mmCIF file of all heavy atoms in Angstrom:
data_model
loop_
_atom_site.group_PDB
_atom_site.id
_atom_site.type_symbol
_atom_site.label_atom_id
_atom_site.label_comp_id
_atom_site.label_asym_id
_atom_site.label_seq_id
_atom_site.Cartn_x
_atom_site.Cartn_y
_atom_site.Cartn_z
ATOM 1 N N LEU J 285 -90.743 157.526 107.025
ATOM 2 C CA LEU J 285 -89.687 156.686 107.552
ATOM 3 C C LEU J 285 -88.811 156.197 106.416
ATOM 4 O O LEU J 285 -87.570 156.131 106.536
ATOM 5 C CB LEU J 285 -90.249 155.522 108.312
ATOM 6 C CG LEU J 285 -89.207 154.545 108.950
ATOM 7 C CD1 LEU J 285 -88.325 155.289 109.940
ATOM 8 C CD2 LEU J 285 -89.944 153.410 109.656
ATOM 9 N N ASP J 286 -89.419 155.847 105.252
ATOM 10 C CA ASP J 286 -88.636 155.428 104.114
ATOM 11 C C ASP J 286 -87.728 156.530 103.586
ATOM 12 O O ASP J 286 -86.607 156.314 103.133
ATOM 13 C CB ASP J 286 -89.597 154.975 102.968
ATOM 14 C CG ASP J 286 -90.509 153.832 103.451
ATOM 15 O OD1 ASP J 286 -89.945 152.860 103.924
ATOM 16 O OD2 ASP J 286 -91.737 153.980 103.333
ATOM 17 N N LEU J 287 -88.239 157.777 103.625
ATOM 18 C CA LEU J 287 -87.422 158.938 103.195
ATOM 19 C C LEU J 287 -86.245 159.099 104.135
ATOM 20 O O LEU J 287 -85.107 159.326 103.657
ATOM 21 C CB LEU J 287 -88.298 160.198 103.190
ATOM 22 C CG LEU J 287 -87.543 161.507 102.933
ATOM 23 C CD1 LEU J 287 -87.020 161.590 101.508
ATOM 24 C CD2 LEU J 287 -88.343 162.728 103.293
ATOM 25 N N PHE J 288 -86.492 159.092 105.434
ATOM 26 C CA PHE J 288 -85.367 159.289 106.376
ATOM 27 C C PHE J 288 -84.325 158.198 106.237
ATOM 28 O O PHE J 288 -83.106 158.473 106.386
ATOM 29 C CB PHE J 288 -85.948 159.337 107.792
ATOM 30 C CG PHE J 288 -86.930 160.437 108.018
ATOM 31 C CD1 PHE J 288 -87.966 160.272 108.922
ATOM 32 C CD2 PHE J 288 -86.854 161.647 107.332
ATOM 33 C CE1 PHE J 288 -88.855 161.288 109.111
ATOM 34 C CE2 PHE J 288 -87.769 162.636 107.489
ATOM 35 C CZ PHE J 288 -88.803 162.470 108.397
ATOM 36 N N LYS J 289 -84.774 156.993 105.959
ATOM 37 C CA LYS J 289 -83.819 155.881 105.760
ATOM 38 C C LYS J 289 -82.923 156.197 104.552
ATOM 39 O O LYS J 289 -81.714 155.956 104.583
ATOM 40 C CB LYS J 289 -84.585 154.541 105.553
ATOM 41 C CG LYS J 289 -85.022 153.858 106.812
ATOM 42 C CD LYS J 289 -85.665 152.543 106.429
ATOM 43 C CE LYS J 289 -86.090 151.821 107.663
ATOM 44 N NZ LYS J 289 -86.768 150.532 107.328
ATOM 45 N N LYS J 290 -83.553 156.638 103.487
ATOM 46 C CA LYS J 290 -82.828 156.902 102.268
ATOM 47 C C LYS J 290 -81.827 158.024 102.462
ATOM 48 O O LYS J 290 -80.688 157.948 101.997
ATOM 49 C CB LYS J 290 -83.800 157.258 101.123
ATOM 50 C CG LYS J 290 -83.169 157.283 99.772
ATOM 51 C CD LYS J 290 -84.204 157.154 98.685
ATOM 52 C CE LYS J 290 -83.585 156.908 97.323
ATOM 53 N NZ LYS J 290 -84.546 156.622 96.271
ATOM 54 N N ILE J 291 -82.229 159.082 103.167
ATOM 55 C CA ILE J 291 -81.325 160.200 103.389
ATOM 56 C C ILE J 291 -80.148 159.736 104.244
ATOM 57 O O ILE J 291 -78.980 160.096 103.998
ATOM 58 C CB ILE J 291 -82.074 161.363 104.078
ATOM 59 C CG1 ILE J 291 -83.070 161.974 103.111
ATOM 60 C CG2 ILE J 291 -81.121 162.425 104.602
ATOM 61 C CD1 ILE J 291 -83.977 163.035 103.728
ATOM 62 N N THR J 292 -80.421 158.949 105.292
ATOM 63 C CA THR J 292 -79.387 158.484 106.179
ATOM 64 C C THR J 292 -78.396 157.607 105.429
ATOM 65 O O THR J 292 -77.170 157.671 105.670
ATOM 66 C CB THR J 292 -79.991 157.685 107.378
ATOM 67 O OG1 THR J 292 -80.886 158.509 108.031
ATOM 68 C CG2 THR J 292 -78.923 157.213 108.350
ATOM 69 N N GLU J 293 -78.929 156.748 104.521
ATOM 70 C CA GLU J 293 -78.054 155.785 103.787
ATOM 71 C C GLU J 293 -77.219 156.503 102.726
ATOM 72 O O GLU J 293 -76.055 156.215 102.562
ATOM 73 C CB GLU J 293 -78.924 154.677 103.185
ATOM 74 C CG GLU J 293 -79.515 153.754 104.175
ATOM 75 C CD GLU J 293 -80.608 152.879 103.604
ATOM 76 O OE1 GLU J 293 -80.869 152.971 102.384
ATOM 77 O OE2 GLU J 293 -81.231 152.088 104.350
ATOM 78 N N LYS J 294 -77.870 157.394 101.954
ATOM 79 C CA LYS J 294 -77.188 157.986 100.803
ATOM 80 C C LYS J 294 -76.519 159.342 101.073
ATOM 81 O O LYS J 294 -75.543 159.674 100.421
ATOM 82 C CB LYS J 294 -78.208 158.182 99.611
ATOM 83 C CG LYS J 294 -78.664 156.865 99.027
ATOM 84 C CD LYS J 294 -79.259 157.172 97.654
ATOM 85 C CE LYS J 294 -79.443 155.862 96.876
ATOM 86 N NZ LYS J 294 -79.826 156.080 95.465
ATOM 87 N N TYR J 295 -77.018 160.059 102.036
ATOM 88 C CA TYR J 295 -76.461 161.353 102.329
ATOM 89 C C TYR J 295 -76.277 161.490 103.854
ATOM 90 O O TYR J 295 -76.912 162.345 104.515
ATOM 91 C CB TYR J 295 -77.444 162.483 101.832
ATOM 92 C CG TYR J 295 -78.032 162.165 100.474
ATOM 93 C CD1 TYR J 295 -79.307 161.646 100.365
ATOM 94 C CD2 TYR J 295 -77.288 162.397 99.311
ATOM 95 C CE1 TYR J 295 -79.837 161.379 99.126
ATOM 96 C CE2 TYR J 295 -77.801 162.117 98.073
ATOM 97 C CZ TYR J 295 -79.107 161.604 97.965
ATOM 98 O OH TYR J 295 -79.652 161.301 96.733
ATOM 99 N N PRO J 296 -75.377 160.706 104.387
ATOM 100 C CA PRO J 296 -75.237 160.673 105.830
ATOM 101 C C PRO J 296 -74.748 161.962 106.478
ATOM 102 O O PRO J 296 -75.031 162.221 107.638
ATOM 103 C CB PRO J 296 -74.187 159.519 106.075
ATOM 104 C CG PRO J 296 -73.492 159.408 104.796
ATOM 105 C CD PRO J 296 -74.469 159.744 103.731
ATOM 106 N N SER J 297 -74.019 162.777 105.764
ATOM 107 C CA SER J 297 -73.404 163.981 106.356
ATOM 108 C C SER J 297 -73.756 165.212 105.558
ATOM 109 O O SER J 297 -72.926 166.096 105.361
ATOM 110 C CB SER J 297 -71.872 163.834 106.529
ATOM 111 O OG SER J 297 -71.336 163.572 105.218
ATOM 112 N N PHE J 298 -74.998 165.324 105.055
ATOM 113 C CA PHE J 298 -75.331 166.441 104.216
ATOM 114 C C PHE J 298 -75.327 167.769 105.047
ATOM 115 O O PHE J 298 -75.703 167.784 106.246
ATOM 116 C CB PHE J 298 -76.688 166.251 103.530
ATOM 117 C CG PHE J 298 -77.861 166.187 104.494
ATOM 118 C CD1 PHE J 298 -78.571 167.342 104.833
ATOM 119 C CD2 PHE J 298 -78.298 165.013 105.026
ATOM 120 C CE1 PHE J 298 -79.625 167.268 105.692
ATOM 121 C CE2 PHE J 298 -79.370 164.927 105.899
ATOM 122 C CZ PHE J 298 -80.027 166.054 106.187
ATOM 123 N N GLU J 299 -74.917 168.871 104.417
ATOM 124 C CA GLU J 299 -74.919 170.172 105.069
ATOM 125 C C GLU J 299 -75.419 171.187 104.058
ATOM 126 O O GLU J 299 -75.612 170.899 102.896
ATOM 127 C CB GLU J 299 -73.511 170.533 105.480
ATOM 128 C CG GLU J 299 -72.944 169.675 106.649
ATOM 129 C CD GLU J 299 -71.549 170.112 107.093
ATOM 130 O OE1 GLU J 299 -71.019 171.097 106.482
ATOM 131 O OE2 GLU J 299 -71.030 169.515 108.018
ATOM 132 N N THR J 300 -75.637 172.431 104.539
ATOM 133 C CA THR J 300 -76.137 173.444 103.704
ATOM 134 C C THR J 300 -75.140 173.743 102.581
ATOM 135 O O THR J 300 -73.959 173.934 102.846
ATOM 136 C CB THR J 300 -76.433 174.734 104.473
ATOM 137 O OG1 THR J 300 -77.321 174.405 105.539
ATOM 138 C CG2 THR J 300 -77.025 175.799 103.625
ATOM 139 N N THR J 301 -75.597 173.851 101.350
ATOM 140 C CA THR J 301 -74.763 174.263 100.208
ATOM 141 C C THR J 301 -75.025 175.752 100.003
ATOM 142 O O THR J 301 -76.117 176.150 99.647
ATOM 143 C CB THR J 301 -75.118 173.471 98.961
ATOM 144 O OG1 THR J 301 -74.967 172.076 99.205
ATOM 145 C CG2 THR J 301 -74.243 173.871 97.769
ATOM 146 N N GLU J 302 -73.970 176.593 100.237
ATOM 147 C CA GLU J 302 -74.171 178.048 100.250
ATOM 148 C C GLU J 302 -74.656 178.551 98.910
ATOM 149 O O GLU J 302 -75.469 179.506 98.839
ATOM 150 C CB GLU J 302 -72.873 178.764 100.653
ATOM 151 C CG GLU J 302 -72.466 178.555 102.093
ATOM 152 C CD GLU J 302 -73.499 179.077 103.066
ATOM 153 O OE1 GLU J 302 -74.194 180.089 102.708
ATOM 154 O OE2 GLU J 302 -73.727 178.463 104.133
ATOM 155 N N ASP J 303 -74.198 177.963 97.798
ATOM 156 C CA ASP J 303 -74.608 178.434 96.493
ATOM 157 C C ASP J 303 -76.134 178.270 96.290
ATOM 158 O O ASP J 303 -76.752 178.989 95.496
ATOM 159 C CB ASP J 303 -73.909 177.653 95.371
ATOM 160 C CG ASP J 303 -72.438 178.010 95.245
ATOM 161 O OD1 ASP J 303 -72.107 179.125 95.641
ATOM 162 O OD2 ASP J 303 -71.680 177.163 94.781
ATOM 163 N N LEU J 304 -76.724 177.328 97.004
ATOM 164 C CA LEU J 304 -78.174 177.010 96.848
ATOM 165 C C LEU J 304 -79.028 177.662 97.944
ATOM 166 O O LEU J 304 -80.209 177.539 97.949
ATOM 167 C CB LEU J 304 -78.365 175.539 96.793
ATOM 168 C CG LEU J 304 -77.616 174.742 95.757
ATOM 169 C CD1 LEU J 304 -77.890 173.253 95.849
ATOM 170 C CD2 LEU J 304 -77.956 175.262 94.348
ATOM 171 N N ARG J 305 -78.388 178.291 98.907
ATOM 172 C CA ARG J 305 -79.092 178.926 99.993
ATOM 173 C C ARG J 305 -80.023 180.030 99.482
ATOM 174 O O ARG J 305 -79.569 180.840 98.635
ATOM 175 C CB ARG J 305 -78.169 179.482 101.056
ATOM 176 C CG ARG J 305 -78.879 180.075 102.268
ATOM 177 C CD ARG J 305 -77.883 180.774 103.185
ATOM 178 N NE ARG J 305 -77.091 179.867 103.974
ATOM 179 C CZ ARG J 305 -77.475 179.367 105.137
ATOM 180 N NH1 ARG J 305 -78.687 179.604 105.617
ATOM 181 N NH2 ARG J 305 -76.663 178.556 105.765
ATOM 182 N N GLY J 306 -81.271 180.032 99.967
ATOM 183 C CA GLY J 306 -82.183 181.139 99.589
ATOM 184 C C GLY J 306 -82.893 180.896 98.258
ATOM 185 O O GLY J 306 -83.693 181.719 97.864
ATOM 186 N N LEU J 307 -82.567 179.825 97.524
ATOM 187 C CA LEU J 307 -83.250 179.563 96.307
ATOM 188 C C LEU J 307 -84.539 178.795 96.548
ATOM 189 O O LEU J 307 -84.564 177.840 97.298
ATOM 190 C CB LEU J 307 -82.341 178.696 95.396
ATOM 191 C CG LEU J 307 -81.050 179.304 94.919
ATOM 192 C CD1 LEU J 307 -80.314 178.310 94.019
ATOM 193 C CD2 LEU J 307 -81.293 180.612 94.165
ATOM 194 N N ASP J 308 -85.640 179.261 95.909
ATOM 195 C CA ASP J 308 -86.870 178.484 96.114
ATOM 196 C C ASP J 308 -87.097 177.525 94.930
ATOM 197 O O ASP J 308 -86.787 177.840 93.782
ATOM 198 C CB ASP J 308 -88.078 179.412 96.335
ATOM 199 C CG ASP J 308 -88.448 180.228 95.161
ATOM 200 O OD1 ASP J 308 -88.983 179.620 94.205
ATOM 201 O OD2 ASP J 308 -88.275 181.471 95.216
ATOM 202 N N TYR J 309 -87.600 176.390 95.271
ATOM 203 C CA TYR J 309 -87.742 175.272 94.363
ATOM 204 C C TYR J 309 -88.628 175.676 93.138
ATOM 205 O O TYR J 309 -88.299 175.378 92.007
ATOM 206 C CB TYR J 309 -88.383 174.136 95.107
ATOM 207 C CG TYR J 309 -88.527 172.802 94.346
ATOM 208 C CD1 TYR J 309 -87.551 171.820 94.523
ATOM 209 C CD2 TYR J 309 -89.564 172.557 93.512
ATOM 210 C CE1 TYR J 309 -87.685 170.595 93.851
ATOM 211 C CE2 TYR J 309 -89.697 171.356 92.803
ATOM 212 C CZ TYR J 309 -88.703 170.391 92.997
ATOM 213 O OH TYR J 309 -88.847 169.157 92.313
ATOM 214 N N ASN J 310 -89.707 176.364 93.409
ATOM 215 C CA ASN J 310 -90.637 176.685 92.310
ATOM 216 C C ASN J 310 -90.048 177.607 91.274
ATOM 217 O O ASN J 310 -90.528 177.650 90.156
ATOM 218 C CB ASN J 310 -91.914 177.258 92.927
ATOM 219 C CG ASN J 310 -92.852 176.169 93.452
ATOM 220 O OD1 ASN J 310 -92.621 174.975 93.179
ATOM 221 N ND2 ASN J 310 -93.821 176.534 94.216
ATOM 222 N N THR J 311 -89.138 178.459 91.669
ATOM 223 C CA THR J 311 -88.498 179.361 90.674
ATOM 224 C C THR J 311 -87.721 178.599 89.651
ATOM 225 O O THR J 311 -87.735 178.916 88.474
ATOM 226 C CB THR J 311 -87.625 180.409 91.377
ATOM 227 O OG1 THR J 311 -88.387 181.166 92.321
ATOM 228 C CG2 THR J 311 -86.961 181.329 90.369
ATOM 229 N N ILE J 312 -87.031 177.576 90.101
ATOM 230 C CA ILE J 312 -86.208 176.782 89.186
ATOM 231 C C ILE J 312 -87.010 175.693 88.472
ATOM 232 O O ILE J 312 -86.833 175.471 87.275
ATOM 233 C CB ILE J 312 -85.029 176.135 89.956
ATOM 234 C CG1 ILE J 312 -84.192 177.205 90.613
ATOM 235 C CG2 ILE J 312 -84.163 175.242 89.046
ATOM 236 C CD1 ILE J 312 -83.134 176.664 91.591
ATOM 237 N N PHE J 313 -87.961 175.093 89.237
ATOM 238 C CA PHE J 313 -88.662 173.914 88.679
ATOM 239 C C PHE J 313 -90.129 174.214 88.438
ATOM 240 O O PHE J 313 -90.978 173.342 88.669
ATOM 241 C CB PHE J 313 -88.463 172.728 89.545
ATOM 242 C CG PHE J 313 -87.037 172.238 89.557
ATOM 243 C CD1 PHE J 313 -86.271 172.393 90.732
ATOM 244 C CD2 PHE J 313 -86.477 171.659 88.464
ATOM 245 C CE1 PHE J 313 -84.953 171.938 90.742
ATOM 246 C CE2 PHE J 313 -85.154 171.261 88.454
ATOM 247 C CZ PHE J 313 -84.390 171.387 89.598
ATOM 248 N N ASN J 314 -90.515 175.396 87.995
ATOM 249 C CA ASN J 314 -91.858 175.609 87.532
ATOM 250 C C ASN J 314 -91.980 175.052 86.140
ATOM 251 O O ASN J 314 -90.987 174.774 85.465
ATOM 252 C CB ASN J 314 -92.230 177.092 87.592
ATOM 253 C CG ASN J 314 -91.365 177.919 86.704
ATOM 254 O OD1 ASN J 314 -91.542 177.897 85.434
ATOM 255 N ND2 ASN J 314 -90.425 178.668 87.246
ATOM 256 N N ALA J 315 -93.180 174.867 85.656
ATOM 257 C CA ALA J 315 -93.461 174.144 84.443
ATOM 258 C C ALA J 315 -92.776 174.777 83.256
ATOM 259 O O ALA J 315 -92.143 174.083 82.426
ATOM 260 C CB ALA J 315 -95.007 174.065 84.154
ATOM 261 N N LYS J 316 -92.776 176.131 83.130
ATOM 262 C CA LYS J 316 -92.173 176.808 81.952
ATOM 263 C C LYS J 316 -90.656 176.777 81.994
ATOM 264 O O LYS J 316 -90.002 176.615 80.984
ATOM 265 C CB LYS J 316 -92.685 178.250 81.845
ATOM 266 C CG LYS J 316 -94.206 178.303 81.524
ATOM 267 C CD LYS J 316 -94.723 179.678 81.334
ATOM 268 C CE LYS J 316 -96.218 179.658 80.985
ATOM 269 N NZ LYS J 316 -96.792 181.003 80.865
ATOM 270 N N ALA J 317 -90.115 176.898 83.222
ATOM 271 C CA ALA J 317 -88.650 176.847 83.323
ATOM 272 C C ALA J 317 -88.156 175.447 83.014
ATOM 273 O O ALA J 317 -87.137 175.290 82.313
ATOM 274 C CB ALA J 317 -88.239 177.273 84.718
ATOM 275 N N ILE J 318 -88.886 174.461 83.509
ATOM 276 C CA ILE J 318 -88.449 173.084 83.289
ATOM 277 C C ILE J 318 -88.479 172.756 81.804
ATOM 278 O O ILE J 318 -87.540 172.089 81.250
ATOM 279 C CB ILE J 318 -89.373 172.099 83.997
ATOM 280 C CG1 ILE J 318 -89.077 172.096 85.524
ATOM 281 C CG2 ILE J 318 -89.189 170.646 83.500
ATOM 282 C CD1 ILE J 318 -89.995 171.279 86.366
ATOM 283 N N LYS J 319 -89.437 173.297 81.039
ATOM 284 C CA LYS J 319 -89.512 173.079 79.609
ATOM 285 C C LYS J 319 -88.236 173.539 78.920
ATOM 286 O O LYS J 319 -87.742 172.915 78.006
ATOM 287 C CB LYS J 319 -90.721 173.813 79.070
ATOM 288 C CG LYS J 319 -91.025 173.504 77.613
ATOM 289 C CD LYS J 319 -92.330 174.133 77.149
ATOM 290 C CE LYS J 319 -92.643 173.806 75.714
ATOM 291 N NZ LYS J 319 -93.923 174.389 75.268
ATOM 292 N N ILE J 320 -87.681 174.693 79.393
ATOM 293 C CA ILE J 320 -86.441 175.215 78.787
ATOM 294 C C ILE J 320 -85.273 174.431 79.306
ATOM 295 O O ILE J 320 -84.367 174.047 78.490
ATOM 296 C CB ILE J 320 -86.278 176.703 79.223
ATOM 297 C CG1 ILE J 320 -87.413 177.544 78.591
ATOM 298 C CG2 ILE J 320 -84.927 177.240 78.765
ATOM 299 C CD1 ILE J 320 -87.485 178.973 79.102
ATOM 300 N N LEU J 321 -85.221 174.099 80.608
ATOM 301 C CA LEU J 321 -84.095 173.368 81.171
ATOM 302 C C LEU J 321 -83.948 172.028 80.557
ATOM 303 O O LEU J 321 -82.832 171.512 80.442
ATOM 304 C CB LEU J 321 -84.260 173.208 82.680
ATOM 305 C CG LEU J 321 -84.220 174.478 83.520
ATOM 306 C CD1 LEU J 321 -84.550 174.176 84.972
ATOM 307 C CD2 LEU J 321 -82.894 175.161 83.431
#
């Protein structure tokens, strides 16, 4: 419920961002990639 409140308050009209469609979180934010980033 706390998460949904935060999304509603900060991102009331969020929609899909096409540039980020199909990207999986772990590919970008795995431990070795994060070390470089």
